[in-house]
Amino acid sequence: MWGRERRGPQDQVVAARMNAFFGHLTRQQRADPQEVARCYAIDLAQHRGRLLAGKHDSRSPYYVGLSTGPADFIRVTKRVTLVTDTMLLTEHRGSAHQLGLRSAFPGVPGNAPAMARAARERYAVVSEDLAALGCWLLDAEPLLRTGLAWFCPQYVTGRALPNFRTEQLPAGTVEVADYLIEHGRAVDLSTAKPLASRVVRPVLEIDLPFLDGLSLADFARVTREEFDSYRLFRDFMQARLLELDGALEAEDSQVQLERLALAIREEVEAARTSLTTASRTRALTRAGAVVSSTGALLAAVRPDALAGALATTTTAVSGLAGLWPVVQAYADRARGHQGKWHYVWVLHRKAP
């Protein structure tokens, strides 16, 4: 299924690594979320540096890193994905979950002393809830495979691993995260890019009802399947959020956010109503039975040419004079699938 994806990934380096990881997961491993998280941490221990280098070198102001706990992973992912090119998640506190042994001197040259080449040390991944992390990885798999998101593990090493517990940022977290999520709010860690600050912070606070009740797995699947429409909606969200005043701590910041939320809700509702009405028309219901897939494709590409063809063929003479309106309606629906609101409509339909 994954190999037949026709659209290019958002971040090619991330997408390639994530596809390689998920492609090697066995059915037995997928059945155990903790094992999925362990396997991911082991895999990223070898490739983490390359992925972080890609983030560091990225010219996109919408490639952001967020440090939070597994309890917020779902909410943060569904919202922040709506405004970022690529989202990096990491954890800033938790217990050490041992992964095994690794080289104490990674990258040691082949001509180094044998003792240095053979040296090993225990290492562990830091997480509040390894099972929750594994569930997030499985549910968000379509996003990771497309390069829209990934998780950057934090590691600790040494003999004290069994008793390790931290309420502080492990070494390296500040370098990979632009923001630290605390109590649902994004706290600037001083390395944030200005544009990211103005879109990430508000989207975490705005009421977006079409996300309510929607599972992360459904959200990730729809986002991947409706990628073109998703990108149009993402552009729309970015543009709207950038209209806000940069001083989000101003007294009227909540008023501005509510105005924006209201405007988005009105446009979402209008689009949802329009698309729902169109999908229920009798013409669209009959289209699948009356119009062949070839005819529908021609209608979407060259409706004017197909109209002329229908007028001069025996189709109209044979009693199917009403065929053209059906074909035209089918073409209109096909064009609607390319709009930014089609993505929101599908998300809305998936929610209970």
PDB file of all heavy atoms in Angstrom, residues 229-266:
ATOM      1  N   SER A 229      -5.207  18.449  -1.015  1.00  0.00           N
ATOM      2  CA  SER A 229      -6.192  19.303  -0.364  1.00  0.00           C
ATOM      3  C   SER A 229      -5.702  19.744   1.013  1.00  0.00           C
ATOM      4  O   SER A 229      -5.921  20.888   1.428  1.00  0.00           O
ATOM      5  CB  SER A 229      -7.522  18.557  -0.235  1.00  0.00           C
ATOM      6  OG  SER A 229      -8.512  19.372   0.334  1.00  0.00           O
ATOM      7  N   TYR A 230      -5.021  18.834   1.716  1.00  0.00           N
ATOM      8  CA  TYR A 230      -4.451  19.175   3.026  1.00  0.00           C
ATOM      9  C   TYR A 230      -3.460  20.332   2.901  1.00  0.00           C
ATOM     10  O   TYR A 230      -3.474  21.264   3.719  1.00  0.00           O
ATOM     11  CB  TYR A 230      -3.761  17.955   3.628  1.00  0.00           C
ATOM     12  CG  TYR A 230      -2.619  18.293   4.559  1.00  0.00           C
ATOM     13  CD1 TYR A 230      -2.863  18.799   5.839  1.00  0.00           C
ATOM     14  CD2 TYR A 230      -1.292  18.141   4.155  1.00  0.00           C
ATOM     15  CE1 TYR A 230      -1.811  19.133   6.688  1.00  0.00           C
ATOM     16  CE2 TYR A 230      -0.240  18.464   4.996  1.00  0.00           C
ATOM     17  CZ  TYR A 230      -0.506  18.964   6.252  1.00  0.00           C
ATOM     18  OH  TYR A 230       0.535  19.300   7.091  1.00  0.00           O
ATOM     19  N   ARG A 231      -2.605  20.301   1.902  1.00  0.00           N
ATOM     20  CA  ARG A 231      -1.608  21.366   1.747  1.00  0.00           C
ATOM     21  C   ARG A 231      -2.273  22.714   1.473  1.00  0.00           C
ATOM     22  O   ARG A 231      -1.804  23.751   1.952  1.00  0.00           O
ATOM     23  CB  ARG A 231      -0.626  21.002   0.632  1.00  0.00           C
ATOM     24  CG  ARG A 231       0.359  19.933   1.053  1.00  0.00           C
ATOM     25  CD  ARG A 231       1.538  19.831   0.121  1.00  0.00           C
ATOM     26  NE  ARG A 231       1.149  19.374  -1.210  1.00  0.00           N
ATOM     27  CZ  ARG A 231       2.011  19.029  -2.147  1.00  0.00           C
ATOM     28  NH1 ARG A 231       3.313  19.109  -1.916  1.00  0.00           N
ATOM     29  NH2 ARG A 231       1.596  18.609  -3.328  1.00  0.00           N
ATOM     30  N   LEU A 232      -3.374  22.698   0.703  1.00  0.00           N
ATOM     31  CA  LEU A 232      -4.094  23.947   0.452  1.00  0.00           C
ATOM     32  C   LEU A 232      -4.683  24.493   1.754  1.00  0.00           C
ATOM     33  O   LEU A 232      -4.636  25.700   2.009  1.00  0.00           O
ATOM     34  CB  LEU A 232      -5.206  23.712  -0.573  1.00  0.00           C
ATOM     35  CG  LEU A 232      -4.758  23.422  -2.005  1.00  0.00           C
ATOM     36  CD1 LEU A 232      -5.957  23.072  -2.873  1.00  0.00           C
ATOM     37  CD2 LEU A 232      -4.016  24.616  -2.596  1.00  0.00           C
ATOM     38  N   PHE A 233      -5.239  23.600   2.574  1.00  0.00           N
ATOM     39  CA  PHE A 233      -5.804  24.058   3.840  1.00  0.00           C
ATOM     40  C   PHE A 233      -4.706  24.535   4.782  1.00  0.00           C
ATOM     41  O   PHE A 233      -4.890  25.517   5.513  1.00  0.00           O
ATOM     42  CB  PHE A 233      -6.602  22.926   4.506  1.00  0.00           C
ATOM     43  CG  PHE A 233      -7.236  23.330   5.807  1.00  0.00           C
ATOM     44  CD1 PHE A 233      -8.320  24.189   5.824  1.00  0.00           C
ATOM     45  CD2 PHE A 233      -6.722  22.892   7.013  1.00  0.00           C
ATOM     46  CE1 PHE A 233      -8.907  24.585   7.021  1.00  0.00           C
ATOM     47  CE2 PHE A 233      -7.300  23.280   8.215  1.00  0.00           C
ATOM     48  CZ  PHE A 233      -8.402  24.128   8.214  1.00  0.00           C
ATOM     49  N   ARG A 234      -3.557  23.869   4.776  1.00  0.00           N
ATOM     50  CA  ARG A 234      -2.431  24.293   5.604  1.00  0.00           C
ATOM     51  C   ARG A 234      -1.976  25.694   5.217  1.00  0.00           C
ATOM     52  O   ARG A 234      -1.713  26.536   6.086  1.00  0.00           O
ATOM     53  CB  ARG A 234      -1.279  23.300   5.472  1.00  0.00           C
ATOM     54  CG  ARG A 234      -0.084  23.611   6.361  1.00  0.00           C
ATOM     55  CD  ARG A 234       1.019  22.612   6.134  1.00  0.00           C
ATOM     56  NE  ARG A 234       1.501  22.646   4.748  1.00  0.00           N
ATOM     57  CZ  ARG A 234       2.352  21.751   4.232  1.00  0.00           C
ATOM     58  NH1 ARG A 234       2.774  20.745   4.968  1.00  0.00           N
ATOM     59  NH2 ARG A 234       2.741  21.856   2.982  1.00  0.00           N
ATOM     60  N   ASP A 235      -1.895  25.961   3.923  1.00  0.00           N
ATOM     61  CA  ASP A 235      -1.515  27.297   3.462  1.00  0.00           C
ATOM     62  C   ASP A 235      -2.525  28.337   3.945  1.00  0.00           C
ATOM     63  O   ASP A 235      -2.159  29.449   4.345  1.00  0.00           O
ATOM     64  CB  ASP A 235      -1.412  27.336   1.939  1.00  0.00           C
ATOM     65  CG  ASP A 235      -0.246  26.511   1.417  1.00  0.00           C
ATOM     66  OD1 ASP A 235       0.634  26.150   2.225  1.00  0.00           O
ATOM     67  OD2 ASP A 235      -0.220  26.221   0.207  1.00  0.00           O
ATOM     68  N   PHE A 236      -3.798  27.971   3.879  1.00  0.00           N
ATOM     69  CA  PHE A 236      -4.855  28.868   4.334  1.00  0.00           C
ATOM     70  C   PHE A 236      -4.696  29.168   5.828  1.00  0.00           C
ATOM     71  O   PHE A 236      -4.774  30.320   6.256  1.00  0.00           O
ATOM     72  CB  PHE A 236      -6.218  28.225   4.069  1.00  0.00           C
ATOM     73  CG  PHE A 236      -7.344  28.815   4.871  1.00  0.00           C
ATOM     74  CD1 PHE A 236      -7.943  30.005   4.483  1.00  0.00           C
ATOM     75  CD2 PHE A 236      -7.808  28.182   6.012  1.00  0.00           C
ATOM     76  CE1 PHE A 236      -8.983  30.551   5.223  1.00  0.00           C
ATOM     77  CE2 PHE A 236      -8.843  28.715   6.758  1.00  0.00           C
ATOM     78  CZ  PHE A 236      -9.438  29.904   6.361  1.00  0.00           C
ATOM     79  N   MET A 237      -4.449  28.134   6.634  1.00  0.00           N
ATOM     80  CA  MET A 237      -4.288  28.314   8.069  1.00  0.00           C
ATOM     81  C   MET A 237      -3.075  29.183   8.385  1.00  0.00           C
ATOM     82  O   MET A 237      -3.125  30.074   9.234  1.00  0.00           O
ATOM     83  CB  MET A 237      -4.159  26.957   8.757  1.00  0.00           C
ATOM     84  CG  MET A 237      -5.444  26.170   8.836  1.00  0.00           C
ATOM     85  SD  MET A 237      -6.613  26.880  10.029  1.00  0.00           S
ATOM     86  CE  MET A 237      -5.768  26.535  11.581  1.00  0.00           C
ATOM     87  N   GLN A 238      -1.971  28.923   7.702  1.00  0.00           N
ATOM     88  CA  GLN A 238      -0.766  29.714   7.937  1.00  0.00           C
ATOM     89  C   GLN A 238      -1.018  31.186   7.633  1.00  0.00           C
ATOM     90  O   GLN A 238      -0.632  32.069   8.407  1.00  0.00           O
ATOM     91  CB  GLN A 238       0.384  29.178   7.086  1.00  0.00           C
ATOM     92  CG  GLN A 238       0.898  27.821   7.535  1.00  0.00           C
ATOM     93  CD  GLN A 238       1.934  27.264   6.582  1.00  0.00           C
ATOM     94  OE1 GLN A 238       2.152  27.799   5.490  1.00  0.00           O
ATOM     95  NE2 GLN A 238       2.582  26.176   6.969  1.00  0.00           N
ATOM     96  N   ALA A 239      -1.674  31.445   6.513  1.00  0.00           N
ATOM     97  CA  ALA A 239      -1.933  32.832   6.130  1.00  0.00           C
ATOM     98  C   ALA A 239      -2.828  33.524   7.149  1.00  0.00           C
ATOM     99  O   ALA A 239      -2.591  34.684   7.522  1.00  0.00           O
ATOM    100  CB  ALA A 239      -2.580  32.874   4.745  1.00  0.00           C
ATOM    101  N   ARG A 240      -3.857  32.821   7.615  1.00  0.00           N
ATOM    102  CA  ARG A 240      -4.768  33.423   8.583  1.00  0.00           C
ATOM    103  C   ARG A 240      -4.061  33.696   9.917  1.00  0.00           C
ATOM    104  O   ARG A 240      -4.260  34.739  10.540  1.00  0.00           O
ATOM    105  CB  ARG A 240      -5.973  32.510   8.810  1.00  0.00           C
ATOM    106  CG  ARG A 240      -7.031  32.614   7.726  1.00  0.00           C
ATOM    107  CD  ARG A 240      -7.525  34.050   7.586  1.00  0.00           C
ATOM    108  NE  ARG A 240      -8.604  34.186   6.645  1.00  0.00           N
ATOM    109  CZ  ARG A 240      -9.890  34.107   6.972  1.00  0.00           C
ATOM    110  NH1 ARG A 240     -10.227  33.876   8.220  1.00  0.00           N
ATOM    111  NH2 ARG A 240     -10.805  34.261   6.060  1.00  0.00           N
ATOM    112  N   LEU A 241      -3.272  32.757  10.373  1.00  0.00           N
ATOM    113  CA  LEU A 241      -2.606  32.926  11.662  1.00  0.00           C
ATOM    114  C   LEU A 241      -1.546  34.019  11.608  1.00  0.00           C
ATOM    115  O   LEU A 241      -1.296  34.703  12.602  1.00  0.00           O
ATOM    116  CB  LEU A 241      -1.981  31.604  12.108  1.00  0.00           C
ATOM    117  CG  LEU A 241      -2.989  30.509  12.453  1.00  0.00           C
ATOM    118  CD1 LEU A 241      -2.281  29.189  12.737  1.00  0.00           C
ATOM    119  CD2 LEU A 241      -3.833  30.910  13.649  1.00  0.00           C
ATOM    120  N   LEU A 242      -0.917  34.189  10.450  1.00  0.00           N
ATOM    121  CA  LEU A 242       0.077  35.245  10.323  1.00  0.00           C
ATOM    122  C   LEU A 242      -0.561  36.632  10.325  1.00  0.00           C
ATOM    123  O   LEU A 242       0.141  37.643  10.464  1.00  0.00           O
ATOM    124  CB  LEU A 242       0.896  35.043   9.045  1.00  0.00           C
ATOM    125  CG  LEU A 242       1.865  33.858   9.081  1.00  0.00           C
ATOM    126  CD1 LEU A 242       2.522  33.658   7.721  1.00  0.00           C
ATOM    127  CD2 LEU A 242       2.923  34.054  10.151  1.00  0.00           C
ATOM    128  N   GLU A 243      -1.884  36.690  10.149  1.00  0.00           N
ATOM    129  CA  GLU A 243      -2.573  37.968  10.207  1.00  0.00           C
ATOM    130  C   GLU A 243      -2.669  38.491  11.637  1.00  0.00           C
ATOM    131  O   GLU A 243      -2.922  39.669  11.859  1.00  0.00           O
ATOM    132  CB  GLU A 243      -3.985  37.826   9.627  1.00  0.00           C
ATOM    133  CG  GLU A 243      -4.008  37.543   8.133  1.00  0.00           C
ATOM    134  CD  GLU A 243      -5.409  37.259   7.637  1.00  0.00           C
ATOM    135  OE1 GLU A 243      -6.359  37.337   8.462  1.00  0.00           O
ATOM    136  OE2 GLU A 243      -5.566  36.950   6.444  1.00  0.00           O
ATOM    137  N   LEU A 244      -2.473  37.585  12.596  1.00  0.00           N
ATOM    138  CA  LEU A 244      -2.553  37.996  13.994  1.00  0.00           C
ATOM    139  C   LEU A 244      -1.382  38.911  14.353  1.00  0.00           C
ATOM    140  O   LEU A 244      -0.295  38.792  13.805  1.00  0.00           O
ATOM    141  CB  LEU A 244      -2.532  36.785  14.921  1.00  0.00           C
ATOM    142  CG  LEU A 244      -3.736  35.850  14.877  1.00  0.00           C
ATOM    143  CD1 LEU A 244      -3.482  34.645  15.769  1.00  0.00           C
ATOM    144  CD2 LEU A 244      -4.987  36.574  15.329  1.00  0.00           C
ATOM    145  N   ASP A 245      -1.610  39.764  15.309  1.00  0.00           N
ATOM    146  CA  ASP A 245      -0.529  40.596  15.809  1.00  0.00           C
ATOM    147  C   ASP A 245       0.514  39.721  16.471  1.00  0.00           C
ATOM    148  O   ASP A 245       0.194  38.740  17.146  1.00  0.00           O
ATOM    149  CB  ASP A 245      -1.081  41.603  16.821  1.00  0.00           C
ATOM    150  CG  ASP A 245      -0.011  42.588  17.259  1.00  0.00           C
ATOM    151  OD1 ASP A 245       0.681  42.282  18.244  1.00  0.00           O
ATOM    152  OD2 ASP A 245       0.125  43.631  16.608  1.00  0.00           O
ATOM    153  N   GLY A 246       1.786  40.039  16.298  1.00  0.00           N
ATOM    154  CA  GLY A 246       2.848  39.210  16.859  1.00  0.00           C
ATOM    155  C   GLY A 246       2.853  39.175  18.377  1.00  0.00           C
ATOM    156  O   GLY A 246       3.337  38.213  18.970  1.00  0.00           O
ATOM    157  N   ALA A 247       2.317  40.189  19.018  1.00  0.00           N
ATOM    158  CA  ALA A 247       2.326  40.242  20.484  1.00  0.00           C
ATOM    159  C   ALA A 247       1.160  39.431  21.023  1.00  0.00           C
ATOM    160  O   ALA A 247       0.114  39.968  21.384  1.00  0.00           O
ATOM    161  CB  ALA A 247       2.233  41.688  20.955  1.00  0.00           C
ATOM    162  N   LEU A 248       1.341  38.112  21.081  1.00  0.00           N
ATOM    163  CA  LEU A 248       0.255  37.232  21.495  1.00  0.00           C
ATOM    164  C   LEU A 248      -0.060  37.354  22.982  1.00  0.00           C
ATOM    165  O   LEU A 248      -1.072  36.831  23.449  1.00  0.00           O
ATOM    166  CB  LEU A 248       0.610  35.785  21.159  1.00  0.00           C
ATOM    167  CG  LEU A 248       0.629  35.464  19.664  1.00  0.00           C
ATOM    168  CD1 LEU A 248       1.087  34.037  19.435  1.00  0.00           C
ATOM    169  CD2 LEU A 248      -0.733  35.692  19.048  1.00  0.00           C
ATOM    170  N   GLU A 249       0.794  38.030  23.729  1.00  0.00           N
ATOM    171  CA  GLU A 249       0.524  38.209  25.151  1.00  0.00           C
ATOM    172  C   GLU A 249      -0.233  39.509  25.418  1.00  0.00           C
ATOM    173  O   GLU A 249      -0.504  39.838  26.566  1.00  0.00           O
ATOM    174  CB  GLU A 249       1.850  38.213  25.937  1.00  0.00           C
ATOM    175  CG  GLU A 249       2.589  36.887  25.915  1.00  0.00           C
ATOM    176  CD  GLU A 249       1.802  35.764  26.576  1.00  0.00           C
ATOM    177  OE1 GLU A 249       0.900  36.061  27.387  1.00  0.00           O
ATOM    178  OE2 GLU A 249       2.085  34.601  26.271  1.00  0.00           O
ATOM    179  N   ALA A 250      -0.563  40.221  24.361  1.00  0.00           N
ATOM    180  CA  ALA A 250      -1.291  41.470  24.545  1.00  0.00           C
ATOM    181  C   ALA A 250      -2.667  41.186  25.143  1.00  0.00           C
ATOM    182  O   ALA A 250      -3.188  40.083  25.058  1.00  0.00           O
ATOM    183  CB  ALA A 250      -1.441  42.199  23.211  1.00  0.00           C
ATOM    184  N   GLU A 251      -3.266  42.218  25.731  1.00  0.00           N
ATOM    185  CA  GLU A 251      -4.532  42.032  26.418  1.00  0.00           C
ATOM    186  C   GLU A 251      -5.635  41.561  25.477  1.00  0.00           C
ATOM    187  O   GLU A 251      -6.550  40.855  25.881  1.00  0.00           O
ATOM    188  CB  GLU A 251      -4.956  43.345  27.091  1.00  0.00           C
ATOM    189  CG  GLU A 251      -4.062  43.740  28.262  1.00  0.00           C
ATOM    190  CD  GLU A 251      -4.553  44.991  28.942  1.00  0.00           C
ATOM    191  OE1 GLU A 251      -5.610  45.517  28.500  1.00  0.00           O
ATOM    192  OE2 GLU A 251      -3.918  45.439  29.902  1.00  0.00           O
ATOM    193  N   ASP A 252      -5.557  41.976  24.223  1.00  0.00           N
ATOM    194  CA  ASP A 252      -6.620  41.607  23.300  1.00  0.00           C
ATOM    195  C   ASP A 252      -6.270  40.379  22.470  1.00  0.00           C
ATOM    196  O   ASP A 252      -6.937  40.086  21.482  1.00  0.00           O
ATOM    197  CB  ASP A 252      -6.939  42.770  22.365  1.00  0.00           C
ATOM    198  CG  ASP A 252      -5.764  43.119  21.455  1.00  0.00           C
ATOM    199  OD1 ASP A 252      -4.634  42.701  21.782  1.00  0.00           O
ATOM    200  OD2 ASP A 252      -5.975  43.797  20.435  1.00  0.00           O
ATOM    201  N   SER A 253      -5.219  39.654  22.845  1.00  0.00           N
ATOM    202  CA  SER A 253      -4.809  38.502  22.054  1.00  0.00           C
ATOM    203  C   SER A 253      -5.902  37.435  22.004  1.00  0.00           C
ATOM    204  O   SER A 253      -6.149  36.832  20.966  1.00  0.00           O
ATOM    205  CB  SER A 253      -3.516  37.897  22.612  1.00  0.00           C
ATOM    206  OG  SER A 253      -3.707  37.412  23.926  1.00  0.00           O
ATOM    207  N   GLN A 254      -6.581  37.187  23.135  1.00  0.00           N
ATOM    208  CA  GLN A 254      -7.643  36.189  23.153  1.00  0.00           C
ATOM    209  C   GLN A 254      -8.804  36.614  22.267  1.00  0.00           C
ATOM    210  O   GLN A 254      -9.452  35.777  21.643  1.00  0.00           O
ATOM    211  CB  GLN A 254      -8.124  35.956  24.586  1.00  0.00           C
ATOM    212  CG  GLN A 254      -7.130  35.207  25.460  1.00  0.00           C
ATOM    213  CD  GLN A 254      -6.742  33.861  24.856  1.00  0.00           C
ATOM    214  OE1 GLN A 254      -5.579  33.609  24.577  1.00  0.00           O
ATOM    215  NE2 GLN A 254      -7.727  33.017  24.635  1.00  0.00           N
ATOM    216  N   VAL A 255      -9.072  37.914  22.211  1.00  0.00           N
ATOM    217  CA  VAL A 255     -10.132  38.412  21.337  1.00  0.00           C
ATOM    218  C   VAL A 255      -9.777  38.150  19.884  1.00  0.00           C
ATOM    219  O   VAL A 255     -10.607  37.712  19.080  1.00  0.00           O
ATOM    220  CB  VAL A 255     -10.369  39.914  21.571  1.00  0.00           C
ATOM    221  CG1 VAL A 255     -11.396  40.463  20.588  1.00  0.00           C
ATOM    222  CG2 VAL A 255     -10.800  40.164  23.001  1.00  0.00           C
ATOM    223  N   GLN A 256      -8.530  38.419  19.543  1.00  0.00           N
ATOM    224  CA  GLN A 256      -8.090  38.182  18.167  1.00  0.00           C
ATOM    225  C   GLN A 256      -8.174  36.698  17.812  1.00  0.00           C
ATOM    226  O   GLN A 256      -8.595  36.330  16.720  1.00  0.00           O
ATOM    227  CB  GLN A 256      -6.659  38.684  17.991  1.00  0.00           C
ATOM    228  CG  GLN A 256      -6.513  40.193  18.116  1.00  0.00           C
ATOM    229  CD  GLN A 256      -5.098  40.645  17.797  1.00  0.00           C
ATOM    230  OE1 GLN A 256      -4.544  40.298  16.767  1.00  0.00           O
ATOM    231  NE2 GLN A 256      -4.511  41.413  18.692  1.00  0.00           N
ATOM    232  N   LEU A 257      -7.741  35.856  18.744  1.00  0.00           N
ATOM    233  CA  LEU A 257      -7.808  34.419  18.505  1.00  0.00           C
ATOM    234  C   LEU A 257      -9.242  33.954  18.311  1.00  0.00           C
ATOM    235  O   LEU A 257      -9.534  33.125  17.446  1.00  0.00           O
ATOM    236  CB  LEU A 257      -7.155  33.657  19.664  1.00  0.00           C
ATOM    237  CG  LEU A 257      -5.633  33.704  19.749  1.00  0.00           C
ATOM    238  CD1 LEU A 257      -5.149  33.028  21.024  1.00  0.00           C
ATOM    239  CD2 LEU A 257      -5.004  33.033  18.531  1.00  0.00           C
ATOM    240  N   GLU A 258     -10.153  34.481  19.109  1.00  0.00           N
ATOM    241  CA  GLU A 258     -11.550  34.079  18.997  1.00  0.00           C
ATOM    242  C   GLU A 258     -12.158  34.570  17.689  1.00  0.00           C
ATOM    243  O   GLU A 258     -12.966  33.881  17.064  1.00  0.00           O
ATOM    244  CB  GLU A 258     -12.352  34.605  20.183  1.00  0.00           C
ATOM    245  CG  GLU A 258     -13.806  34.166  20.190  1.00  0.00           C
ATOM    246  CD  GLU A 258     -13.988  32.671  20.042  1.00  0.00           C
ATOM    247  OE1 GLU A 258     -13.153  31.907  20.592  1.00  0.00           O
ATOM    248  OE2 GLU A 258     -14.958  32.244  19.369  1.00  0.00           O
ATOM    249  N   ARG A 259     -11.766  35.759  17.256  1.00  0.00           N
ATOM    250  CA  ARG A 259     -12.241  36.248  15.961  1.00  0.00           C
ATOM    251  C   ARG A 259     -11.783  35.333  14.833  1.00  0.00           C
ATOM    252  O   ARG A 259     -12.553  35.011  13.923  1.00  0.00           O
ATOM    253  CB  ARG A 259     -11.716  37.671  15.725  1.00  0.00           C
ATOM    254  CG  ARG A 259     -12.428  38.753  16.527  1.00  0.00           C
ATOM    255  CD  ARG A 259     -11.767  40.097  16.293  1.00  0.00           C
ATOM    256  NE  ARG A 259     -12.431  41.165  17.029  1.00  0.00           N
ATOM    257  CZ  ARG A 259     -11.945  42.382  17.165  1.00  0.00           C
ATOM    258  NH1 ARG A 259     -10.790  42.701  16.578  1.00  0.00           N
ATOM    259  NH2 ARG A 259     -12.610  43.302  17.849  1.00  0.00           N
ATOM    260  N   LEU A 260     -10.515  34.934  14.906  1.00  0.00           N
ATOM    261  CA  LEU A 260      -9.986  34.042  13.880  1.00  0.00           C
ATOM    262  C   LEU A 260     -10.686  32.692  13.941  1.00  0.00           C
ATOM    263  O   LEU A 260     -11.049  32.117  12.909  1.00  0.00           O
ATOM    264  CB  LEU A 260      -8.479  33.860  14.069  1.00  0.00           C
ATOM    265  CG  LEU A 260      -7.799  32.878  13.111  1.00  0.00           C
ATOM    266  CD1 LEU A 260      -8.025  33.305  11.666  1.00  0.00           C
ATOM    267  CD2 LEU A 260      -6.313  32.796  13.412  1.00  0.00           C
ATOM    268  N   ALA A 261     -10.888  32.175  15.152  1.00  0.00           N
ATOM    269  CA  ALA A 261     -11.566  30.892  15.300  1.00  0.00           C
ATOM    270  C   ALA A 261     -12.971  30.956  14.732  1.00  0.00           C
ATOM    271  O   ALA A 261     -13.435  30.022  14.057  1.00  0.00           O
ATOM    272  CB  ALA A 261     -11.600  30.492  16.772  1.00  0.00           C
ATOM    273  N   LEU A 262     -13.664  32.052  14.983  1.00  0.00           N
ATOM    274  CA  LEU A 262     -15.022  32.218  14.474  1.00  0.00           C
ATOM    275  C   LEU A 262     -15.033  32.266  12.956  1.00  0.00           C
ATOM    276  O   LEU A 262     -15.882  31.642  12.305  1.00  0.00           O
ATOM    277  CB  LEU A 262     -15.638  33.497  15.051  1.00  0.00           C
ATOM    278  CG  LEU A 262     -17.078  33.803  14.630  1.00  0.00           C
ATOM    279  CD1 LEU A 262     -18.009  32.689  15.082  1.00  0.00           C
ATOM    280  CD2 LEU A 262     -17.519  35.146  15.215  1.00  0.00           C
ATOM    281  N   ALA A 263     -14.069  32.994  12.382  1.00  0.00           N
ATOM    282  CA  ALA A 263     -13.991  33.081  10.926  1.00  0.00           C
ATOM    283  C   ALA A 263     -13.722  31.716  10.308  1.00  0.00           C
ATOM    284  O   ALA A 263     -14.331  31.339   9.299  1.00  0.00           O
ATOM    285  CB  ALA A 263     -12.893  34.067  10.521  1.00  0.00           C
ATOM    286  N   ILE A 264     -12.815  30.957  10.922  1.00  0.00           N
ATOM    287  CA  ILE A 264     -12.506  29.621  10.406  1.00  0.00           C
ATOM    288  C   ILE A 264     -13.728  28.714  10.518  1.00  0.00           C
ATOM    289  O   ILE A 264     -14.064  27.984   9.588  1.00  0.00           O
ATOM    290  CB  ILE A 264     -11.314  29.019  11.162  1.00  0.00           C
ATOM    291  CG1 ILE A 264     -10.032  29.792  10.818  1.00  0.00           C
ATOM    292  CG2 ILE A 264     -11.143  27.543  10.820  1.00  0.00           C
ATOM    293  CD1 ILE A 264      -8.817  29.348  11.605  1.00  0.00           C
ATOM    294  N   ARG A 265     -14.406  28.763  11.670  1.00  0.00           N
ATOM    295  CA  ARG A 265     -15.582  27.916  11.852  1.00  0.00           C
ATOM    296  C   ARG A 265     -16.666  28.245  10.832  1.00  0.00           C
ATOM    297  O   ARG A 265     -17.331  27.353  10.306  1.00  0.00           O
ATOM    298  CB  ARG A 265     -16.118  28.074  13.275  1.00  0.00           C
ATOM    299  CG  ARG A 265     -15.286  27.359  14.319  1.00  0.00           C
ATOM    300  CD  ARG A 265     -16.062  27.168  15.606  1.00  0.00           C
ATOM    301  NE  ARG A 265     -16.398  28.430  16.245  1.00  0.00           N
ATOM    302  CZ  ARG A 265     -15.622  29.044  17.135  1.00  0.00           C
ATOM    303  NH1 ARG A 265     -14.448  28.525  17.464  1.00  0.00           N
ATOM    304  NH2 ARG A 265     -16.002  30.182  17.682  1.00  0.00           N
ATOM    305  N   GLU A 266     -16.861  29.538  10.546  1.00  0.00           N
ATOM    306  CA  GLU A 266     -17.870  29.932   9.570  1.00  0.00           C
ATOM    307  C   GLU A 266     -17.528  29.397   8.178  1.00  0.00           C
ATOM    308  O   GLU A 266     -18.393  28.885   7.464  1.00  0.00           O
ATOM    309  CB  GLU A 266     -17.989  31.454   9.543  1.00  0.00           C
ATOM    310  CG  GLU A 266     -18.660  32.041  10.775  1.00  0.00           C
ATOM    311  CD  GLU A 266     -18.719  33.554  10.736  1.00  0.00           C
ATOM    312  OE1 GLU A 266     -18.012  34.150   9.881  1.00  0.00           O
ATOM    313  OE2 GLU A 266     -19.456  34.144  11.541  1.00  0.00           O
TER     314      GLU A 266
END
